[in-house]
Amino acid sequence: MAMTEENIQKQSNAVQISTFESGNEMAAMAAAQINYHLMGYFPITPSTEVAQYLDMMKSKGLHDIELVAADGEHGSAGICFGAATTGARVFNATSANGFLYMIEQLPVQSGLRFPMVMNLVTRAVSGPLDIRGDHSDLYYGLNTGWVILTARTPQAVYDMNIMALKLSEHKDVRLPVIVAYDGFYTSHQKRKVDLFRDRETVQGFVGESPKGYATSINKAKPVTIGAHMNGDDLMNNHFQQSEALYKAYDVYKDIASEYEELSGRRYDILDQYGMEDAEVAVFLLNSAAESSKDVVDRLRAKGIKAGVVSPNIIRPFPAEDLRNALKNVKAVLVGERADSFGAKGANLTHELKSALQEDPDNNTLVLSRVFGMGGKDFYADDAEAFFDMAIEAAESGIIKKPFDYYGIQPGDPAKKLEQVVQPMTGETYKTGLIKVTEDEETNKLKVKIPPLRQLTTKPKRFASGHGACPGCGIFPGLELFFKGIEGDAVILFHTGCGYVVTSAYPYSSHKQPFIHNLFQNGPATLSGTVEAFFEMKERGEIDIDEDFTFVMVTGDGGMDIGMGSAIGTALRNHKMIILEYDNEGYMNTGSQMSYSTPLGHMTSTTSVGKEEQGKTFHHKDTPQIMASTNIPYVFTGTEAYPQDLIKKAAKAQWYAQNEGMVYGKLLIACPLNWKSADRDGESIIKAAVDSCFFPLYEVERGETNITVNPEAKNKRIELPEWLKYMGKSKHLLKEENKDILKSFENEVQRRWVTLKAKHETPYV
């Protein structure tokens, strides 16, 4: 974080410094100054930076927070809940579908009254996928029982994170708190902020962690947490929770008043601009409210009494405050970055209408407009258009259209995109040059492939023009694999680099049928596709003369968050292939740690500094995990050994069409995040194989066979010969890290010796 110590201010003896930072940086700074006990997290844009900044600060010794990288957001929420039961102070950050993935855990946390603070960096919920900001995720949180604060600026993000913990732990509240701020608008844009120079100031304001409450680690007073309840007890429980949430209103006001004395910054229940005598107003959350304030000034210069009202807290909903703020307003337009589909208005529109209805003297007309979805920009001109609608309603006393979308653009048929590449079908992808037969004696498949140059005439499965980085190994690896696949394919990519760079609407690089679904559910999705296809074909409802090969492509950590789905799919043994491209990280969200990241390697969440030297545990052996499910065929492959990979692809297709599920893992290069030269990709991958870090083998019908053995050919190299290629691992070659390197070498050797034993002894 670009910290300066200029413009030191003293307010109430609390020294503050001025700097320019983003919302994510300020959330991390507040967490570091509070020095939470634990953060359970999983990266998702645009909240990912919060964990990254905290990891960077920890590597410098700036806080003691235990950062626990989960296997997905559902896991991160469980980690946080479990930690909270001990009485620890707990922190998290998430966005969009990640928030929804953890959402079933959130009512557990609030219903059992365990405090924590979570930053929700708001983003569009897919589908279709859009990584930019709106409030469709936030609105799913309205019924979770959490207190929800909203922060319009990076300054507010910092301040509300400090207030949020004090609010969460208050004896009359004891509920978890969400601090919600706009993805990219607030999370990434730098603004001038003031922050406390010394963490002692922040910790003094927050106070000591409250004692005397039930915890899971009190041996003297053991308690049961989360007991099953019947209706009468559950009603009582929810009533108490409801009362606590309403009490958070007064507690927030008290805390905000205390914080104003300390910081000089005021956060009322409502942020009101020009509302003292307003006759027309807009109601907006977060950054859009800031964009509208200049328009208020322009309209008032013309004699129009305009105002902006924006809540700083939406749970509990500030109904009485809004009734007072809008008492003399003739018309208010409620702009919302989300919709409640089919309800003729989004959530806060109806809550505002309900609040006003309780005041029989209030005649404010309410217009509802959904705007800015998927990060669509909201400019001053858009705010002025909102005011124009409100002014028209105020002057006429009539609302012509109570609910509508604002900013939609109907398509122009004259500009319809024409198909560039004609559909390619089975005959196009059939060479007849690859022969796969069963050997009855060995119970294995025999594969004959032609010289590679004869397969170069086979068309690529992915069209040119995709957005992959220079040197990216995904598509060379995938295209080489598909050289071994004959005929038609249905391909599913879950979220990741391979998906993002090939399917940006309205364009697509996919020449054959393509599906996208989320990280955690790709295997289940394609298994449904497979079974529905065969069922409809059996019923005679579809007429397809030859079967597809169904392939799911996973990567960028997808076999972490999607591991459960993959194992379930394997155990059901659907006729499909799961193909993982392993770039050793979550590259699509900014090179965070994956469970496949090797020991000691640097990522954006496993920093290298005086207190940390990269990832602290060994990489996950996914092929062995999948082999333990007893699927017919498991393999590893790389573009560095092309004949080996093509043969395995041909086997994979045969097994997927005849027996059941196949899993394959390809190691692929990522120069951007491996910090390596673009041209070195194949050399790096070959070195990974030749050092026995990434052995090439197959598990066919339960028997292991090493297909490339560098040791047997006296071509094995030492591990440092591979590590030296990459900036992410060069620090391991330093003398001070020799113990980490030795541990890494020992683990690689242990796995290699185990693999050789399996190769030499069938069924081991």
Side-chain angles (χ1 to χ4, degrees), residues 314-332:
I314 57 173
R315 279 297 179 270
F317 189 71
E320 183 64 33
D321 298 82
L322 286 165
R323 282 193 289 270
N324 293 332
L326 298 173
K327 200 167 194 66
N328 299 313
V329 172
K330 296 177 181 178
V332 59

Side-chain angles (χ1 to χ4, degrees), residues 66-78:
E66 181 68 20
L67 300 173
V68 182
D71 59 334
E73 289 88 356
H74 196 276
S76 78

Side-chain angles (χ1 to χ4, degrees), residues 163 252-262 266-267:
M163 290 191 288
Y252 172 84
K253 289 176 70 174
D254 291 342
I255 291 173
S257 179
E258 291 176 35
Y259 193 74
E260 182 185 6
E261 292 181 13
L262 179 69
R266 182 181 182 89
Y267 293 94

Side-chain angles (χ1 to χ4, degrees), residues 240-288:
Q240 293 173 34
Q241 181 182 350
S242 174
E243 289 294 290
L245 189 54
Y246 288 120
K247 286 178 182 177
Y249 173 92
D250 289 324
V251 174
Y252 172 84
K253 289 176 70 174
D254 291 342
I255 291 173
S257 179
E258 291 176 35
Y259 193 74
E260 182 185 6
E261 292 181 13
L262 179 69
S263 67
R265 293 182 289 277
R266 182 181 182 89
Y267 293 94
D268 291 326
I269 294 291
L270 299 179
D271 180 78
Q272 302 184 59
Y273 190 80
M275 289 300 297
E276 60 278 353
D277 62 344
E279 295 180 353
V280 291
V282 294
F283 174 100
L284 297 163
L285 289 186
N286 286 353
S287 60

Side-chain angles (χ1 to χ4, degrees), residues 37 116 239 253 309 351 372 512 624 630 635 727 729:
H37 292 99
M116 71 166 281
F239 172 73
K253 289 176 70 174
V309 60
E351 294 189 13
Q512 291 214 290
Q624 289 297 309
N630 296 315
F635 71 90
S729 55

Side-chain angles (χ1 to χ4, degrees), residues 383-421:
E384 190 160 2
F386 279 7
F387 277 111
D388 287 343
M389 294 179 213
I391 291 168
E392 181 183 5
E395 291 177 346
S396 66
I398 298 172
I399 303 175
K400 292 181 179 178
K401 200 162 190 180
F403 168 72
D404 200 3
Y405 272 58
Y406 171 82
I408 56 172
Q409 298 174 335
D412 183 353
K415 296 180 180 179
K416 179 182 177 182
L417 292 175
E418 298 298 327
Q419 190 171 20
V420 176
V421 178

Side-chain angles (χ1 to χ4, degrees), residues 431-491:
T431 64
L433 300 173
I434 299 174
K435 304 295 183 184
V436 181
T437 56
E438 277 191 276
D439 187 322
E440 293 183 0
E441 290 185 11
T442 64
N443 198 34
K444 306 285 179 62
L445 298 183
K446 288 184 177 180
V447 180
K448 289 185 178 181
I449 63 170
L452 291 182
R453 61 180 176 274
Q454 290 187 249
L455 291 176
T456 58
T457 58
K458 196 172 190 177
K460 292 183 176 182
R461 302 275 177 167
F462 308 100
S464 59
H466 58 68
C469 300
C472 173
I474 294 175
F475 296 102
L478 292 182
E479 289 288 12
L480 188 61
F481 171 82
F482 278 108
K483 293 298 183 191
I485 302 294
E486 295 278 272
D488 291 311
V490 173
I491 303 173

